[in-house]
Amino acid sequence: MRVLLKATLDTEKGNEAIRSGKMPELLKEILDQIKPEAAYFGPLGGRRTALLVLDMKDSSDLPSTGEPFFTQFNAEVEVTPVMNGEDLQNGLAKLR
């Protein structure tokens, strides 16, 4: 199932990662592990946020997907099912 993972980083943990120069390395490790279809980064609600779209094959993938953000950045993590246009069209066709 395609999901949107929103990771809102703890400000102090993010500051530490930036000051130490480890932010790029930590994010690369996480992205290499999770392998998202798309990854976007920016401030949401005044906090550093990562938005990742990924295909979660099984719900048992959830811990290994969110845990790096918890452990490295003390982040708040939300996972929401999402669809692309083709998925939406297929879903709507089932309503008939």
Side-chain angles (χ1 to χ4, degrees):
M1 173 184 294
R2 185 171 283 114
V3 298
L4 173 68
L5 183 145
K6 176 184 172 189
T8 306
L9 281 54
D10 175 75
T11 300
E12 190 52 43
K13 284 287 218 176
N15 289 347
E16 288 173 22
I18 288 176
R19 284 187 203 114
S20 69
K22 292 185 178 181
M23 179 72 86
E25 173 188 334
L26 292 171
L27 287 175
K28 183 180 181 330
E29 285 177 14
I30 292 171
L31 295 178
D32 287 348
Q33 176 185 334
I34 298 174
K35 298 178 181 32
E37 293 177 11
Y40 303 94
F41 305 90
L44 288 178
R47 295 178 60 197
R48 294 178 186 99
T49 304
L51 298 169
L52 309 178
V53 177
L54 43 111
D55 187 13
M56 192 172 290
K57 301 292 184 199
D58 190 88
S59 60
S60 65
D61 294 335
L62 187 55
S64 62
T65 302
E67 220 35 61
F69 289 103
F70 291 131
T71 58
Q72 296 296 330
F73 299 108
N74 197 25
E76 295 175 15
V77 176
E78 299 175 39
V79 178
T80 306
V82 294
M83 297 177 281
N84 64 18
E86 183 180 336
D87 295 335
L88 178 60
Q89 291 300 320
N90 290 338
L92 292 173
K94 293 177 184 179
L95 295 177
R96 295 181 202 163

